[in-house]
Amino acid sequence: MRYSEMFLPTIRELPSDAEVVSHQLMLRAGMIRRLANGIYSYLPFGYRAIRKVEQIVREEMNKAGAQELFMPMVQPAELWQESGRWQLYGKELLRFKDRGEREFCLGPTHEEVITDIVRNEVKSYRHLPRNLYQIQMKFRDEVRPRFGVMRCREFAMKDAYSFDADYAGLDMSYQKMHKAYCNIFSRCGLEYRAVEADTGSIGGSSSHEFMVMAQTGESEVVYCPQCQYAANMEKAEIAKPQDVAPLNANKFLPMEEIYTPNVRTIEEVCNFLQVSAKDVVKTLIMVADGNPVAILIRGDEDVNEIKVKNYLQCAEIELADETTIMSVAGSPRGFVGAVGIKCRVIADYSLLGAGNVVMGANKEDYHSKNANPGRDYDVKEFADLRVMHDGDVCPRCGSLIRIVRGIEVGHIFKLGTKYSEKLRAVFLDAEGKERVMIMGCYGIGIGRTVASSIEQNHDESGIIWPMAIAPFDVIITTVNINDELSHSRSQQLYDELSAAGVDVLWDDRNERAGVKFNDADLLGIPLRITIGPKKISENIVEIKERKSGAVTEIGFSEICSKVLEVKRKLLG
RNA sequence: CGGGGCGUAGCGCAGCUUGGUAGCGCGCCUGCUUUGGGAGCAGGAUGUCGCAGGUUCGAAUCCUGCCGCCCCGACCA
């Protein structure tokens, strides 16, 4: 492609409303333009990167035995009513009516449609397993779209769905996808980690997120440098403490009520009573599917709501409102404790062996000191309910864990029968018995993958593409396009490289060298060949690697094979 | 949905307090010079000042309503 003919509008100045690097650089490098809130167009340069990622995804998915198909983005309400998600999905599901007043939605995902297709066509175990995928636009009416293409409303996603006859089959399908995802993200040149994840509202038994490591990532993940354990924050397990000394009732001090006017937060309690947060018990009243429950945790720890939700196996969980707190504790927020509380009580492991603690007295403006379990209040259940933090140890091997930030680019789930049951996707097994198909689903955010590569690979001057997903392999920078020899040699090289299957952008614009060099750096094309008037008269050109900055001078006749060699090397 | 901020040329912004016919930088167009890290000189084009209403002789500026966008929070496959 000739730069002078390409639609490639670069921006010199920083766009004011772009927060993260990938968003800024994608705008500046002429990759994307915003159409509406959370809705973006990909311009030619950006779309080339998208296509490269898609191609890698296709190759690896096909290699893993999946088959590509293409499903509609507009989906009828009936299907969603059948799965029950028409009610459950909430406002992220964009709904509308056609001219005949029939209800539709824009697909935020395609479990319903794929299950409908498969249930209509697959009736026998002989036709299982199957894995079908597509690369399609999804629409999710996000509460707050941001970070450009990272968290937007309309986005391209590769979604695959597996159908198996039994759970052993699902395990195999899942493993194949896990492997394929590793191949995909490795080939894209990303530093990533597969972490255990909570299955969330999509349901199912097991799940991994593929996280690209980046400071600007929206979620935190923990991993163990010693063993293989890795999980996201919601899921990160904390082992039950082993060597906890049993409470000795002889050491119990008499419980006292202390007047603590307007002292509500843990911090205020600590200051007022001159105690450490570790001696205070935090009592949170939560409502799980309508039932109040008290969660006890050490004052310096935080409750992980997902863990509570999973422990209680409830559908909804939220902090209780003032009225509910009043009715179970008899006191307002800030003075709640376990003594005499009128609801189920669950304590975090951090309270195992804790005695003579401070907690709310369930009486406005009072706290209790030297409260003790067994004597003053009852705790029958202990569980892992807290948020992991620095200093915690690996639940598998006991080494210190690490916490890093990441961007979720892929997510795989074992769905089980959640959709196949609702939509009656059944088949006959070898004995002629009807059985429900076992499903898995597997997603990759295409645009997000491109954006996360930029988050991971850039410098002050611009993007630094890995060869595998770079929009072009090489840029030829002709320093002075009006110099006849420079022009003819550039043309010759451009033709030669193109014929050899290299994606080459030839900067043939009548611009000053500085402008071209800066654009080349901004665009981040892995290799730059500079053709200048002096050097080319001696048959010499320069080749510069964007990533290392290393410059090599080389004879004109050897440049083409050199490029092919370096390209091969950079593709690994 | 709550809190904060912003809307003026393609982009980035000033002007608004104190009302008087719209400005800067970049970009764009023309010409000449220049050509290895975002050139110089000369000339030029470009605006429903987000929208609607109100106050006023007169509104980008003051008032009211609406719309859009950004940030923080809540939420979230």
Side-chain angles (χ1 to χ4, degrees):
Chain A
M1 186 81 221
R2 285 165 172 251
Y3 202 133
S4 63
E5 291 168 2
M6 185 162 176
F7 183 67
L8 179 42
T10 59
I11 299 172
R12 191 179 294 189
E13 291 170 70
L14 247 195
S16 68
D17 49 7
E19 209 63 15
V20 296
V21 208
S22 59
H23 189 195
Q24 293 168 353
L25 288 174
M26 287 176 91
L27 286 169
R28 290 190 51 209
M31 294 178 67
I32 56 168
R33 288 295 182 263
R34 198 188 71 105
L35 179 64
N37 191 14
I39 301 179
Y40 288 83
S41 301
Y42 281 91
L43 307 188
F45 191 73
Y47 195 50
R48 279 178 163 260
I50 295 285
R51 294 278 295 260
K52 292 262 173 125
V53 171
E54 288 181 353
Q55 192 50 36
I56 291 173
V57 168
R58 286 200 171 93
E59 286 171 19
E60 294 299 329
M61 290 301 291
N62 293 345
K63 205 165 92 187
Q67 297 169 54
E68 187 169 9
L69 80 174
F70 195 68
M71 294 179 273
M73 190 164 89
V74 173
Q75 306 177 10
E78 291 83 61
L79 261 185
W80 286 74
Q81 282 155 354
E82 212 179 329
S83 72
R85 285 160 113 191
W86 189 257
Q87 280 72 31
L88 290 175
Y89 216 94
K91 286 192 177 169
E92 283 188 20
L93 185 64
L94 184 64
R95 301 151 212 250
F96 58 96
K97 287 177 182 164
D98 70 2
R99 57 166 62 187
E101 294 291 299
R102 283 175 290 262
E103 290 192 288
F104 286 88
C105 62
L106 285 186
T109 172
H110 282 73
E111 279 83 9
E112 280 80 0
V113 179
I114 194 76
T115 308
D116 178 63
I117 292 172
V118 171
R119 72 175 168 184
N120 290 333
E121 314 304 332
V122 177
K123 310 284 186 189
S124 159
Y125 73 97
R126 292 173 199 274
H127 297 137
L128 295 175
R130 285 288 180 266
N131 187 328
L132 300 164
Y133 77 98
Q134 66 171 347
I135 298 176
Q136 232 299 32
M137 290 318 261
K138 307 285 183 205
F139 192 94
R140 291 180 192 169
D141 203 352
E142 284 280 346
V143 188
R144 186 147 92 84
R146 58 190 132 169
F147 306 141
V149 116
M150 288 274 244
R151 189 173 196 77
C152 52
R153 297 195 293 174
E154 189 186 75
F155 55 98
M157 179 168 163
K158 187 285 304 179
D159 49 324
Y161 305 89
S162 66
F163 295 83
D164 276 280
D166 52 33
Y167 281 93
L170 171 61
D171 289 345
M172 280 177 60
S173 297
Y174 189 85
Q175 277 318 312
K176 276 187 194 165
M177 285 297 105
H178 193 288
K179 182 77 193 3
Y181 275 41
C182 290
N183 293 345
I184 289 166
F185 296 122
S186 299
R187 280 184 64 185
C188 288
L190 294 165
E191 190 204 329
Y192 71 97
R193 221 172 266 279
V195 306
E196 290 179 21
D198 189 73
T199 49
S201 61
I202 212 160
S205 56
S206 157
S207 168
H208 284 84
E209 287 174 347
F210 286 77
M211 309 290 297
V212 168
M213 300 300 117
Q215 280 311 306
T216 46
E218 284 193 271
S219 41
E220 283 185 317
V221 300
V222 311
Y223 71 95
C224 172
Q226 297 304 314
C227 68
Q228 289 304 333
Y229 185 75
N232 70 11
M233 262 315 192
E234 295 175 343
K235 178 84 175 178
E237 296 164 37
I238 294 158
K240 183 176 181 179
Q242 290 307 310
D243 44 2
V244 175
L247 276 171
N248 182 350
N250 294 328
K251 293 191 176 161
F252 285 1
L253 301 171
M255 184 168 80
E256 341 167 19
E257 260 182 18
I258 303 173
Y259 181 55
T260 53
N262 220 16
V263 174
R264 292 163 190 274
T265 65
I266 297 291
E267 200 187 344
E268 288 164 0
V269 171
C270 291
N271 286 335
F272 192 87
L273 297 176
Q274 289 300 300
V275 292
S276 121
K278 292 188 178 188
D279 303 319
V280 181
V281 169
K282 185 155 49 176
T283 309
L284 298 178
I285 307 298
M286 306 194 79
V287 178
D289 291 343
N291 305 312
V293 55
I295 308 298
L296 269 45
I297 192 166
R298 211 169 67 190
D300 59 334
E301 302 286 2
D302 291 311
V303 169
N304 180 336
E305 287 191 24
I306 303 288
K307 288 184 178 177
V308 177
K309 188 175 164 186
N310 288 341
Y311 179 80
L312 294 171
Q313 302 203 314
C314 61
E316 289 296 329
I317 186 134
E318 56 183 357
L319 281 170
D321 57 26
E322 209 65 42
T323 324
T324 312
I325 294 175
M326 211 59 197
S327 71
V328 298
S331 81
R333 194 186 302 262
F335 305 100
V336 177
V339 183
I341 197 148
K342 287 174 288 196
C343 67
R344 182 174 172 187
V345 175
I346 308 164
D348 179 69
Y349 286 149
S350 55
L351 292 179
L352 279 171
N356 294 325
V357 299
V358 173
M359 59 169 62
N362 288 338
K363 183 171 161 190
E364 184 158 8
D365 289 339
Y366 285 89
H367 277 80
S368 303
K369 203 175 164 184
N370 299 326
N372 281 290
R375 185 188 68 184
D376 308 312
Y377 61 94
D378 276 330
V379 185
K380 295 196 180 64
E381 304 170 74
F382 282 88
D384 167 23
L385 301 175
R386 72 174 172 87
V387 175
M388 195 178 248
H389 50 66
D390 268 327
D392 275 322
V393 298
C394 173
R396 301 281 184 273
C397 76
S399 315
L400 267 187
I401 52 93
R402 296 224 176 108
I403 299 179
V404 290
R405 299 196 75 83
I407 301 161
E408 182 187 347
V409 289
H411 203 158
I412 59 179
F413 294 87
K414 288 184 185 174
L415 281 179
T417 57
K418 180 166 173 164
Y419 297 95
S420 45
E421 224 163 64
K422 286 253 168 64
L423 296 176
R424 300 278 317 142
V426 297
F427 65 99
L428 295 181
D429 67 13
E431 278 85 51
K433 272 209 320 230
E434 185 180 277
R435 289 168 60 183
V436 178
M437 294 182 200
I438 315 296
M439 293 175 59
C441 75
Y442 317 91
I444 290 179
I446 303 290
R448 219 181 237 205
T449 301
V450 170
S452 65
S453 170
I454 296 173
E455 287 295 332
Q456 230 173 41
N457 307 292
H458 67 269
D459 61 17
E460 323 75 56
S461 313
I463 303 171
I464 304 174
W465 292 108
M467 183 58 89
I469 63 173
F472 292 95
D473 304 332
V474 178
I475 181 167
I476 299 174
T477 301
T478 306
V479 173
N480 184 350
I481 199 70
N482 299 314
D483 177 67
E484 234 167 82
L485 185 62
S486 298
H487 188 281
S488 62
R489 289 299 196 211
S490 302
Q491 176 81 59
Q492 192 184 337
L493 179 60
Y494 174 67
D495 292 342
E496 212 175 323
L497 286 170
S498 302
V502 176
D503 284 330
V504 40
L505 179 64
W506 174 20
D507 194 345
D508 61 338
R509 293 174 300 169
N510 187 15
E511 287 286 352
R512 299 176 63 83
V515 173
K516 297 189 181 195
F517 290 145
N518 280 308
D519 273 335
D521 289 346
L522 173 62
L523 296 177
I525 298 167
L527 296 174
R528 186 185 88 196
I529 296 167
T530 310
I531 298 189
K534 284 197 205 89
K535 297 266 171 61
I536 197 62
S537 66
E538 302 158 27
N539 262 318
I540 290 172
V541 297
E542 253 173 44
I543 180 165
K544 181 176 181 182
E545 212 175 305
R546 175 67 177 87
K547 192 182 173 73
S548 65
V551 180
T552 322
E553 291 194 351
I554 187 169
F556 183 78
S557 56
E558 298 147 58
I559 186 68
C560 189
S561 55
K562 176 73 176 174
V563 167
L564 290 171
E565 177 199 322
V566 177
K567 182 180 170 181
R568 259 197 309 278
K569 190 191 87 194
L570 290 179
L571 282 177

